[in-house]
């Protein structure tokens, strides 16, 4: 009697490069947070991602490149797509509420907060990557926001300090994020208060007359 043949194993599904890169970044975030950037090796990331070292190097040529991609994925500024038209007839409150909703989606992302914490802890080691992120993510986002605010003024809205210093629109979010990272995560009621205060501040900066009219 001939021995039964073992059933053929199912062919291994080949993942697209896009999916594989996301797996690598997920693995890298875990390794960086557990070991620290300095003590994490490419071998560690490859093992966590279920790849050979060669498989990892097919996508990233260095640990710096992995960290840079992690910054770009986790800390990309929110899209301004769908922004209310830059028309003075659009209520200032509507515009401010729209912007606050986009900004605070960031603080709700646990992975983004973990990367922020990693940035703080590893500032001395990866400062060059943080400067690159500032130039290629934060700077362009502020420029887009500045153009949108300038367009509102050109359409008849009241001139605002935000059109000269758009980073002021982001400052309350940075404060809230640092409090969450360093002190404690806010409760739902406290977060709602922060968001409302941020929205009110934007309304007053965008339309100073609204404060005087109270």
């Amino acid at each position: 009697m001939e021995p039964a043949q073992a059933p053929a194993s199912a062919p291994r599904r080949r993942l697209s490069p896009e999916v594989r890169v996301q797996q690598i970044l997920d693995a890298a975030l875990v390794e960086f947070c557990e070991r620290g950037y300095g003590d994490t090796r490419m071998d560690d990331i490859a093992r966590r991602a279920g790849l050979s070292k060669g498989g990892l190097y097919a996508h990233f040529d260095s640990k710096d490149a992995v960290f840079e991609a992690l910054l770009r994925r986790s800390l990309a500024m929110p899209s301004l797509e769908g922004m209310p038209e830059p028309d003075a007839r659009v209520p200032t409150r509507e515009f401010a509420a729209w912007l606050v909703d986009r900004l605070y989606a960031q603080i709700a992302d646990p992975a983004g907060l973990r990367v922020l914490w990693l940035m703080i802890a590893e500032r001395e080691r990866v400062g060059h990557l943080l400067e690159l992120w500032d130039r290629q993510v934060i700077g362009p986002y502020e420029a887009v926001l500045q153009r949108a605010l300038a367009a509102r003024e050109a359409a008849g809205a009241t001139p605002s300090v935000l059109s000269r210093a758009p980073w002021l629109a982001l400052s309350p979010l940075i404060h809230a994020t640092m409090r969450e990272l360093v002190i404690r995560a806010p409760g739902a009621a406290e977060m709602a208060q922060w968001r409302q205060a941020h929205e009110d501040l934007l309304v007053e900066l965008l339309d100073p007359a609204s404060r005087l009219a109270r």
Side-chain angles (χ1 to χ4, degrees), residues 11-165:
R12 188 175 180 181
R13 186 165 61 91
R14 187 177 185 86
L15 299 177
S16 69
E18 294 78 12
V19 172
R20 183 67 75 187
V21 164
Q22 296 310 310
Q23 288 186 339
I24 292 170
L25 296 182
D26 289 341
L29 179 57
V30 174
E31 292 294 328
F32 288 148
C33 288
E34 288 186 356
R35 300 172 184 268
Y37 180 84
D39 291 333
T40 297
R41 304 170 303 162
M42 289 289 274
D43 284 337
D44 301 321
I45 298 172
R47 188 180 307 109
R48 176 78 66 170
L51 292 171
S52 66
K53 191 172 180 179
L56 174 58
Y57 274 99
H59 297 281
F60 295 100
D61 60 10
S62 68
K63 187 169 66 173
D64 275 6
V66 175
F67 193 83
E68 180 183 340
L70 193 58
L71 288 180
R72 290 181 183 277
R73 184 186 74 167
S74 301
L75 301 179
M77 293 303 293
S79 171
L80 293 179
E81 183 179 355
M83 177 185 291
E85 290 297 322
D87 190 314
R89 292 171 296 180
V90 173
T92 302
R93 175 70 63 178
E94 179 183 330
F95 180 83
W98 178 89
L99 184 57
V100 166
D101 283 345
R102 292 297 185 279
L103 293 175
Y104 279 78
Q106 296 293 94
I107 204 174
D109 178 13
L113 289 175
R114 293 175 74 189
V115 174
L116 280 172
W117 181 252
L118 187 61
M119 287 169 56
I120 295 170
E122 302 290 349
R123 175 67 180 84
E124 295 302 316
R125 295 179 183 272
V126 296
H128 61 296
L129 292 178
L130 302 187
E131 292 172 2
L132 179 67
W133 173 67
D134 184 53
R135 291 196 306 271
Q136 297 190 359
V137 177
I138 297 294
Y141 183 82
E142 289 180 351
V144 170
L145 182 58
Q146 186 174 36
R147 289 196 295 272
L149 292 168
R152 282 177 57 83
E153 291 184 11
T158 305
S160 166
V161 64
L162 291 180
S163 62
R164 303 192 307 274

Side-chain angles (χ1 to χ4, degrees), residues 107 113 176-177 179-181 183-192 194:
I107 204 174
L113 289 175
T177 302
R179 281 184 60 89
E180 179 164 355
L181 286 173
I183 302 175
R184 61 177 173 80
E190 187 176 13
M191 177 60 75
W194 290 0

